[in-house]
Amino acid sequence: MATHEEEHAGQPNGDDCHTSKVRKSHHSDEFKNGLGNRLNRIEGQIRGIKGMIERDTYCDDVLNQLAAVQSALNSVGKVLLEGHMKSCIIERIEAGEHEVIDELLVTVNKLMK
């Protein structure tokens, strides 16, 4: 799996989504903290599932917890996708970088698998 830097190598340098060699978002601290909090909860759920398996918890109970984690991850993805579309995508389209639509479609297809 390629690193973020490898995936975006060779792109122009700058400070925002559409011009940096290593593209970066520029979301607010509140937005990032919200995502971080959600991911921390998910991380705790994963540790809980690991413990359930170690304790030989009934498989159906573990599977239900896995479904909850998958739902939580999907929720994080939706929030991040919305933020991406409302910031980076719009900026790149306004800058004439219409290839960002193809990039977005690839990403959405990955999220929908």
Side-chain angles (χ1 to χ4, degrees), residues 3-108:
T3 66
H4 182 76
E5 289 80 8
E6 291 168 341
E7 290 174 358
H8 305 297
Q11 295 176 352
N13 205 359
D15 291 332
D16 60 20
C17 287
H18 64 284
T19 60
S20 64
K21 182 174 181 183
V22 176
R23 294 183 292 185
K24 294 186 177 188
S25 68
H26 46 275
H27 297 293
S28 69
D29 288 340
E30 180 181 1
F31 183 83
K32 291 187 285 188
N33 288 337
L35 289 178
N37 289 336
R38 287 172 179 242
L39 291 169
N40 286 338
R41 284 193 298 272
I42 293 167
E43 184 178 20
Q45 287 177 288
I46 296 291
R47 283 193 303 272
I49 292 169
K50 182 179 176 190
M52 291 173 78
I53 291 170
E54 291 168 352
R55 293 186 306 276
D56 295 321
T57 302
Y58 184 62
C59 295
D60 191 61
D61 295 336
V62 176
L63 291 167
N64 283 316
Q65 288 303 309
L66 283 171
V69 168
Q70 288 172 332
S71 177
L73 281 171
N74 287 340
S75 178
V76 170
K78 288 175 188 175
V79 169
L80 189 55
L81 179 61
E82 180 180 344
H84 181 53
M85 291 175 72
K86 288 182 176 179
S87 61
C88 300
I89 299 298
I90 289 174
E91 289 176 9
R92 290 185 63 192
I93 290 171
E94 288 173 348
E97 297 178 38
H98 298 278
E99 67 275 5
V100 71
I101 298 298
D102 292 328
E103 174 186 285
L104 179 62
L105 289 171
V106 168
T107 299
V108 168

